[in-house]
Amino acid sequence: MELKQSVEQFKGQTRLPKLAIPTSYDLCLKLDLIACTFSGTVQVNLNILEHTKYLVLNALELDVHKVWFTKSNNQTYQPCDVVLDGDDEILVLVFDEMLSPGDGVLGIDFSGALNQQLKGLYRCTYVDGGVKKNMAVTQFQAVDARRCFPCWDEPALKATFKITIDVPSELTALSNMPTTDEKLNENIKTVYFEESPIMSTYLVAVVVGVFDHIEETTADGTKVRVYCPVGKCDKGKFALDVAVKALDIFTRYFSTPYPLPKLDMVAVPEFSDAAMENYGLITYRENVLLYDDLLSPADRKQFLTIAVSHEVAHQWFGNLVTMEWWSHLWLNEGFATWVSYMATDIMFPEWKIWTQFLLKTNDGLRMDALEQSHPIEVEVHHARSIEEIFDSISYKKGSAVIRMLQGYLGDGTFQSQFLSSGLGGDGLWIVPITLSIGSYNKCKTFLLETKSGKVDISELVHSPHENSSSVNEKNKEKCDDHFWVKVNTEQSGFYRVNYEDKLAARLKKAIESNCLSAPDKFGILDDTYALCEACKQPLSSLLSLMVVYRKELDFIVLSKLINVCYKVMEIASDAIPAVVNELKQFFIDLLLFSAEKSGWESISGESHLNALLRGEVFLALATFGHNKTHKEAIQRFQMLLNDRNTRLLSADTRKAAFIVVMLNASTTDRNGFESLLKLYREADTVQEKELVLRCLASCPDPNILLEVLNFMLSDEVRDQDSIYVLFMISSEGREVAWRWLKENWDLIFAKYGVMLTYYCITKILPLFCSNEKADEIEAFFASRMHPSFTMILKQSIEQIRLKARWVANIRREQSLEDLVKQLASMKC
């Protein structure tokens, strides 16, 4: 009883007790890819910090076979008890004798199963000569190194790692460091890797499989390799080029050489995230790392560039310098996000990527507007709840706050001053405010240090030789036309702006007169939508503002306009069902000008942004049911079926065509649906498979949708790819999707874990708009809560209740339906 009580003291704790700290790991792993098991031995050099009879470290889903501890004087201790606690994910070693402070070596023999949950040391499959075979991959962030070997699995507890792996002789084995030796014993080879610099356990990585690779060497002598599926090295060339350039950019930016002798990037067939910044061995989903000139749309090229830059940046910020605990994740991910845009802008200035950064700011603002949001720095109380904070707040709000500070302080002051002083300690958020008055030559910046404040703008309104009264008398009419005030210039700050009616009207005129920059036009529309959603402005105000964007051709502004159209349509069927068709027509009319300018087919030498715009515009027209777009899409889809290499349906417009196919599919006419399934089954690239999956669930037919959702869970869809199916479920399909989710919840959670449950919650639940449905969802999950999705579930339910409030507010608007009919009949 006394021993049990002593062990209990270590349970229910967020962090490991500070009894000992590791300094180095010597890890040997033996993989059996047929039985899908592994065994290993880890020897950890420890520094015992105090007299203790306990050593407490992390372990999960491992079998421990033998444990010993040897002090520096060669005295060996055997534990009298070994306690594995699955709930707290700890391994408690109990000794009869007191261990004294000082150095020693802890040895543990262990074994485990290669799981299928894409975490820890897991198995995935590849096809070799038509035969499906197993390979092994690690994904340890945030707290899953403990699934591979017993360790002190906290980011601050850095140590060196010396890794040895036994693998089948025909396979390639990769780890963080270069190999030092290989020894062959019949059909098994033992691969030895150099000892690493100190690093956190979540950055340790191993990949074992069959690959081809390409390589380059940087000017500093760092060897960079991209490992691809066999025969697909040509699709890794763009990523290799980006990585080499990013290494050079960050070496100069951080004024510190890349810390390791090599950098490998590996395309993994099954992976839970987009990518992972393992030290010296970055892992990616295949469709993130591989780029196909014919089949990859422009947005994929851009996403790849940002993703590679993000992960390479982590080699310094995150890996070389690491957060003490997961509460500081926002700085790790926020900074990597911000600096990846910086690198992308250096490589491709014509992409105007900082303007597109507004989409990051917008996503962060939307999440931050929820009561169930969280500060960028958040307390973590359970290992599994860490997964929840890898969200828009940590990545997007975090990077937006950094961008705001950089914009206010300037490049010369930012990084050093920000990193040394932080964000202040008094709990008051001091907001850097920027504004322009009638011209971008007339700007002012100030700090809003209290809840309200006043700013003197008189010197910006008139020349120094005129007094204000004479200006008002002489130029009142001229002032009324041109005296616009835009707060948050270039939309660099992380805050919302609510204009009074007169200022809002002048900004509308400024937009029509093309006086404002693209970021500011984006910001005015974005803020107006947010205020409308919050019931602080009527929907009629938002719709009237949207009219002035009818001739817009800038990609980022049009992208926001389209996004607002989608969001309003989501609410319209519940709020104003009588005029939904008229609302669709209004939105179609807003987009026809840009559609006619871009056309279906790419133009030789056109800009990257034009290619992005084409895909967005035709996808929107397809979604809103534009007849001409539907007819053209069906014709071009048939051309694709006849010739898979046709350029008459480009990578940028294929999604629009696939959506049209599914919108017209039904139980009585399955031809288009069956054709898309055939396309999926015959596709030999991950890009095309992903695109088909993203479109299937857009079908409004309940029977087809149910079939699609069940197909998602079948063996035909890789576990990692199942999430794509959920992205295009429409409000018409929400009831079917919700019933399906309830019936399959236990299976989904058991098989896929947080990877799929996150998307089931965030893509299905917020489609509803009533408090009654929110109550039903709360009741269903009351007995099914888990730390890995508690926060996102609360956020999704809050979104439903906010939309219910918005629906009620819209229904109270007088003459709204008349306005919608008027807008639908006008020529944009």
Side-chain angles (χ1 to χ4, degrees):
M1 178 62 73
E2 182 180 349
L3 178 61
K4 183 178 180 181
Q5 289 176 340
S6 299
V7 172
E8 289 294 323
Q9 67 180 302
F10 303 117
K11 296 184 179 182
Q13 303 299 313
T14 304
R15 307 279 292 269
L16 292 172
K18 295 179 179 179
L19 303 174
I21 56 173
T23 57
S24 67
Y25 292 81
D26 193 330
L27 174 63
C28 298
L29 293 172
K30 297 182 179 181
L31 306 185
D32 186 334
L33 294 176
I34 297 176
C36 293
T37 60
F38 65 92
S39 60
T41 299
V42 63
Q43 297 190 68
V44 190
N45 282 282
L46 291 179
N47 182 9
I48 306 292
L49 300 179
E50 61 182 61
H51 288 91
T52 180
K53 288 187 176 182
Y54 305 94
L55 290 177
V56 185
L57 59 161
N58 295 112
L60 181 63
E61 297 175 356
L62 295 175
D63 293 321
V64 174
H65 304 293
K66 183 180 179 183
V67 180
W68 65 98
F69 179 72
T70 304
K71 288 287 290 181
S72 55
N73 61 5
N74 292 324
Q75 184 178 359
T76 299
Y77 302 81
Q78 304 288 337
C80 62
D81 197 14
V82 176
V83 181
L84 278 164
D85 187 287
D87 292 334
D88 289 297
E89 306 182 3
I90 57 174
L91 169 63
V92 182
L93 306 177
V94 186
F95 296 87
D96 283 327
E97 298 181 63
M98 190 73 70
L99 304 180
S100 59
D103 295 334
V105 177
L106 174 66
I108 304 175
D109 290 341
F110 58 91
S111 63
L114 296 172
N115 69 73
Q116 292 180 271
Q117 295 182 330
L118 310 187
K119 58 178 64 175
L121 177 57
Y122 67 91
R123 72 177 174 98
C124 54
T125 59
Y126 66 99
V127 177
D128 180 19
V131 179
K132 188 178 286 190
K133 296 182 178 179
N134 293 325
M135 59 180 288
V137 183
T138 56
Q139 170 57 27
F140 290 166
Q141 193 181 54
V143 286
D144 287 309
R146 63 192 65 178
R147 293 179 188 266
C148 178
F149 61 99
C151 57
W152 277 257
D153 202 9
E154 295 183 2
L157 301 178
K158 289 187 170 186
T160 62
F161 288 83
K162 191 174 182 181
I163 296 175
T164 305
I165 314 175
D166 282 2
V167 298
S169 57
E170 71 275 13
L171 300 185
T172 298
L174 304 171
S175 189
N176 307 87
M177 299 298 290
T179 58
T180 58
D181 194 14
E182 289 188 7
K183 293 181 180 178
L184 190 63
N185 182 9
E186 295 182 348
N187 62 342
I188 298 294
K189 67 178 177 183
T190 302
V191 184
Y192 302 84
F193 296 93
E194 288 182 21
E195 188 170 17
S196 74
I198 61 167
M199 61 179 176
S200 303
T201 49
Y202 79 90
L203 296 169
V204 175
V206 168
V207 176
V208 176
V210 175
F211 302 98
D212 284 342
H213 76 270
I214 52 176
E215 67 180 62
E216 285 189 19
T217 302
T218 68
D220 293 337
T222 302
K223 184 173 288 186
V224 185
R225 288 178 171 175
V226 172
Y227 287 82
C228 308
V230 174
K232 296 187 177 180
C233 275
D234 58 315
K235 296 175 175 58
K237 289 180 180 177
F238 182 71
L240 179 62
D241 182 58
V242 170
V244 170
K245 290 177 179 176
L247 280 170
D248 178 59
I249 290 169
F250 294 136
T251 295
R252 287 184 278 111
Y253 181 76
F254 293 115
S255 299
T256 303
Y258 173 67
L260 303 182
K262 61 93 174 175
L263 176 63
D264 293 333
M265 305 198 301
V266 188
V268 176
E270 294 180 67
F271 198 66
S272 60
D273 300 301
M276 175 59 207
E277 68 267 21
N278 311 302
Y279 217 178
L281 179 59
I282 305 174
T283 44
Y284 298 83
R285 286 189 178 214
E286 288 182 358
N287 57 352
V288 174
L289 189 65
L290 306 182
Y291 179 76
D292 187 293
D293 288 328
L294 177 64
L295 298 175
S296 299
D299 63 349
R300 181 58 62 182
K301 186 176 189 178
Q302 180 175 298
F303 182 79
L304 186 159
T305 304
I306 296 170
V308 170
S309 299
H310 182 108
E311 306 308 328
V312 173
H314 270 312
Q315 304 302 304
W316 284 267
F317 203 88
N319 298 7
L320 181 62
V321 179
T322 311
M323 62 203 164
E324 191 273 339
W325 180 239
W326 297 106
S327 300
H328 313 297
L329 176 70
W330 79 272
L331 190 54
N332 191 32
E333 297 298 350
F335 190 87
T337 300
W338 177 82
V339 83
S340 69
Y341 273 71
M342 180 200 74
T344 300
D345 187 53
I346 292 171
M347 286 184 263
F348 300 101
E350 68 275 14
W351 291 1
K352 299 180 181 178
I353 202 68
W354 280 121
T355 303
Q356 296 187 59
F357 184 80
L358 293 175
L359 297 173
K360 294 283 184 186
T361 303
N362 178 246
D363 289 343
L365 281 167
R366 285 185 58 78
M367 179 68 76
D368 205 39
L370 299 176
E371 289 184 7
Q372 292 296 332
S373 181
H374 61 84
I376 50 177
E377 187 163 308
V378 61
E379 289 298 318
V380 175
H381 300 293
H382 190 282
R384 292 302 132 195
S385 66
I386 294 170
E387 296 166 335
E388 288 199 297
I389 61 172
F390 284 82
D391 62 3
S392 291
I393 297 297
S394 296
Y395 283 78
K396 297 174 182 179
K397 179 183 176 181
S399 60
V401 168
I402 292 168
R403 169 72 165 159
M404 177 173 66
L405 292 169
Q406 179 261 346
Y408 183 79
L409 296 172
D411 288 327
T413 305
F414 177 75
Q415 200 193 15
S416 57
Q417 187 169 358
F418 170 70
L419 290 178
S420 63
S421 62
L423 295 176
D426 59 2
L428 178 66
W429 187 19
I430 300 173
V431 184
I433 302 293
T434 59
L435 55 88
S436 299
I437 301 175
S439 165
Y440 288 105
N441 294 322
K442 296 181 178 181
C443 303
K444 193 173 185 69
T445 62
F446 66 97
L447 286 176
L448 183 62
E449 301 184 68
T450 57
K451 289 186 177 180
S452 62
K454 292 183 179 181
V455 58
D456 183 0
I457 59 172
S458 58
E459 77 276 11
L460 300 179
V461 176
H462 55 82
S463 70
H465 304 294
E466 295 179 302
N467 60 51
S468 58
S469 60
S470 65
V471 170
N472 287 337
E473 292 169 3
K474 295 177 182 178
N475 303 311
K476 186 174 187 305
E477 184 177 348
K478 185 179 179 181
C479 254
D480 284 345
D481 288 338
H482 299 283
F483 182 78
W484 50 263
V485 177
K486 174 60 176 68
V487 182
N488 196 3
T489 305
E490 299 294 337
Q491 214 62 16
S492 61
F494 192 80
Y495 52 88
R496 295 291 187 193
V497 181
N498 189 359
Y499 299 92
E500 55 91 20
D501 292 343
K502 187 177 291 186
L503 287 177
R506 289 173 178 167
L507 284 171
K508 284 175 66 175
K509 286 185 179 180
I511 294 170
E512 284 192 293
S513 303
N514 204 29
C515 294
L516 299 181
S517 66
D520 282 335
K521 287 188 283 186
F522 175 104
I524 292 166
L525 182 57
D526 185 38
D527 284 345
T528 303
Y529 170 78
L531 292 164
C532 183
E533 186 181 40
C535 303
K536 293 183 178 295
Q537 287 190 12
L539 179 58
S540 56
S541 295
L542 175 63
L543 297 177
S544 298
L545 172 65
M546 293 168 74
V547 175
V548 303
Y549 290 85
R550 61 192 179 277
K551 300 292 185 182
E552 186 58 58
L553 289 175
D554 184 272
F555 167 71
I556 191 65
V557 182
L558 260 176
S559 181
K560 171 46 59 178
L561 180 64
I562 290 168
N563 178 261
V564 170
C565 290
Y566 287 147
K567 292 296 183 181
V568 173
M569 280 307 307
E570 282 182 14
I571 209 80
S573 59
D574 290 272
I576 45 174
V579 291
V580 165
N581 289 333
E582 288 85 350
L583 191 63
K584 287 181 179 179
Q585 185 59 52
F586 169 53
F587 292 160
I588 288 169
D589 291 341
L590 285 178
L591 301 174
L592 284 179
F593 178 77
S594 56
E596 290 168 359
K597 289 289 185 181
S598 62
W600 274 87
E601 296 173 25
S602 58
I603 302 168
S604 178
E606 71 177 351
S607 73
H608 169 77
L609 293 174
N610 282 347
L612 289 176
L613 186 148
R614 177 181 296 110
E616 290 264 10
V617 168
F618 281 104
L619 176 59
L621 289 173
T623 303
F624 298 139
H626 183 228
N627 287 333
K628 185 178 178 181
T629 298
H630 275 228
K631 290 179 182 178
E632 188 70 25
I634 292 295
Q635 290 177 0
R636 291 176 183 268
F637 179 68
Q638 288 300 322
M639 295 174 187
L640 176 67
L641 295 181
N642 295 332
D643 176 11
R644 299 295 168 86
N645 294 317
T646 182
R647 294 190 177 272
L648 295 176
L649 187 60
S650 69
D652 297 305
T653 55
R654 286 190 184 190
K655 187 174 184 180
F658 292 178
I659 290 293
V660 168
V661 169
M662 291 310 301
L663 288 175
N664 288 279
S666 66
T667 307
T668 56
D669 184 4
R670 296 172 52 92
N671 290 337
F673 174 46
E674 295 291 350
S675 295
L676 266 185
L677 286 179
K678 187 171 186 289
L679 202 64
Y680 172 83
R681 288 163 177 150
E682 295 178 354
D684 62 353
T685 67
V686 290
Q687 290 87 353
E688 193 157 19
K689 284 182 178 291
E690 176 193 339
L691 182 57
V692 173
L693 290 176
R694 284 181 178 270
C695 299
L696 291 178
S698 61
C699 184
D701 185 287
N703 295 319
I704 297 288
L705 176 57
L706 185 60
E707 186 175 339
V708 167
L709 292 172
N710 288 327
F711 173 75
M712 177 182 82
L713 301 182
S714 72
D715 292 339
E716 288 196 72
V717 180
R718 287 185 181 273
D719 290 355
Q720 66 159 20
D721 295 337
S722 57
I723 62 172
Y724 299 132
V725 178
L726 300 169
F727 277 70
M728 292 298 289
I729 298 174
S730 65
S731 56
E732 294 94 336
R734 62 192 178 186
E735 285 291 352
V736 172
W738 171 232
R739 286 197 300 271
W740 171 87
L741 181 60
K742 289 188 289 185
E743 292 169 2
N744 291 277
W745 176 261
D746 292 340
L747 167 66
I748 291 169
F749 188 68
K751 181 179 179 182
Y752 299 89
V754 70
M755 178 186 68
L756 185 55
T757 56
Y758 173 89
Y759 288 97
C760 286
I761 290 171
T762 58
K763 298 301 179 184
I764 296 176
L765 305 191
L767 293 171
F768 291 103
C769 304
S770 72
N771 286 313
E772 293 76 15
K773 187 59 66 173
D775 292 340
E776 179 187 330
I777 291 168
E778 280 185 332
F780 175 79
F781 282 103
S783 60
R784 296 173 174 85
M785 297 301 291
H786 189 271
S788 64
F789 62 77
T790 300
M791 184 171 65
I792 58 167
L793 177 62
K794 290 179 179 179
Q795 290 170 347
S796 296
I797 292 171
E798 183 183 349
Q799 290 178 59
I800 298 171
R801 297 197 187 280
L802 288 173
K803 290 171 76 172
R805 177 171 170 260
W806 191 18
V807 166
N809 194 63
I810 292 173
R811 288 173 178 170
R812 290 192 290 268
E813 283 192 49
Q814 297 181 354
S815 305
L816 177 59
E817 291 188 358
D818 291 338
L819 173 64
V820 173
K821 292 176 182 177
Q822 178 187 342
L823 293 172
S825 62
M826 68 183 291
K827 295 295 182 182
C828 289

